[in-house]
Amino acid sequence: YMVSYLNYQKVSGIQNSIKTDLLTTQLSGELLKKCNNEAFYYFSNTLDENGALISILEERFGKNDENVLEQKKQYTLLEIQHFIAIRKYIESCDEKVDTILFFYSNLEADGEEAEKIGRILDSVKDERDNKIMIYSFDYNLDFEIVQVMEYLYDVDVPNVLVVNEENVLRGVRNVDEVMRVLD
């Protein structure tokens, strides 16, 4: 009982942190209209830190744990708010920042491919550094906003990339495939 209680407390603390970051993301998006590159990098690093927290929760409690799934919903909202803010930043500041939406699956049948694509995206991020934003959405998450995103970007199977909101890539096998579309 004590271990369960402590785990619940830890998850609740992370949930409160993500809720605070949701509001921060909204406000930061407004501040990005000032075209400050330093603010852009800081804003984006905060999102990456929250993504790492979700990964830790998945490892500790399992990808299908009810509390973890609730945290993923909060994080998904954070990602979408960030994505919208970055789109406005790109438009308002005439910046060149590529975006990739990754609709992955944690299901056993799809998990190996999702992890491979994740490693490919890590390499792309390393190569492009701060001039690329990668957003990952759980294709199977029971969350209406994810289903709306899937519909908007014509994603009908898991483990699909949407590059710069125009190019849908299925069955990605290597970094070069993604880089060709980015270039």
Side-chain angles (χ1 to χ4, degrees):
Y1 173 79
M2 185 61 129
V3 170
S4 294
Y5 177 76
L6 291 174
N7 284 337
Y8 173 77
Q9 289 298 98
K10 190 177 288 186
V11 170
S12 292
I14 292 171
Q15 183 175 20
N16 288 335
S17 172
I18 290 175
K19 284 180 182 176
T20 301
D21 288 339
L22 274 169
L23 181 57
T24 302
T25 299
Q26 286 176 323
L27 297 173
S28 297
E30 290 302 312
L31 294 173
L32 280 179
K33 291 179 183 175
K34 301 284 185 207
C35 300
N36 183 324
N37 284 339
E38 204 169 296
F40 166 76
Y41 298 131
Y42 176 78
F43 180 47
S44 299
N45 286 337
T46 302
L47 181 69
D48 291 342
E49 290 168 8
N50 279 291
L53 282 175
I54 296 297
S55 295
I56 290 169
L57 287 176
E58 285 182 332
E59 286 176 27
R60 286 191 184 157
F61 303 107
K63 294 179 180 184
N64 294 314
D65 179 85
E66 185 178 313
N67 290 321
V68 172
L69 293 174
E70 192 58 39
Q71 297 308 310
K72 284 175 84 169
K73 288 178 180 179
Q74 296 289 325
Y75 180 67
T76 296
L77 292 174
L78 184 66
E79 282 189 298
I80 292 170
Q81 282 185 318
H82 189 278
F83 175 63
I84 291 167
I86 292 303
R87 282 177 29 191
K88 289 178 183 175
Y89 171 76
I90 292 167
E91 198 174 290
S92 299
C93 303
D94 197 30
E95 288 286 334
K96 175 68 173 133
V97 178
D98 291 306
T99 60
I100 296 178
L101 309 177
F102 176 31
F103 294 88
Y104 68 92
S105 173
N106 278 333
L107 297 180
E108 194 172 321
D110 303 313
E112 191 175 309
E113 181 183 10
E115 287 181 21
K116 182 183 94 175
I117 294 171
R119 288 189 298 275
I120 289 169
L121 291 175
D122 286 343
S123 296
V124 169
K125 178 85 170 165
D126 289 343
E127 243 180 82
R128 290 287 171 121
D129 195 29
N130 289 319
K131 290 299 181 178
I132 189 164
M133 294 303 309
I134 300 172
Y135 303 93
S136 300
F137 302 102
D138 187 342
Y139 180 84
N140 305 109
L141 188 63
D142 185 22
F143 198 33
E144 187 175 342
I145 192 73
V146 174
Q147 294 158 355
V148 168
M149 295 282 288
E150 291 167 359
Y151 174 77
L152 287 174
Y153 294 104
D154 196 29
V155 175
D156 54 2
V157 294
N159 298 326
V160 169
L161 303 179
V162 178
V163 179
N164 292 326
E165 298 187 74
E166 296 175 359
N167 302 294
V168 178
L169 300 177
R170 292 174 172 83
V172 173
R173 292 180 303 276
N174 58 52
V175 173
D176 292 335
E177 288 179 49
V178 179
M179 295 304 281
R180 270 194 299 276
V181 174
L182 289 170
D183 292 330

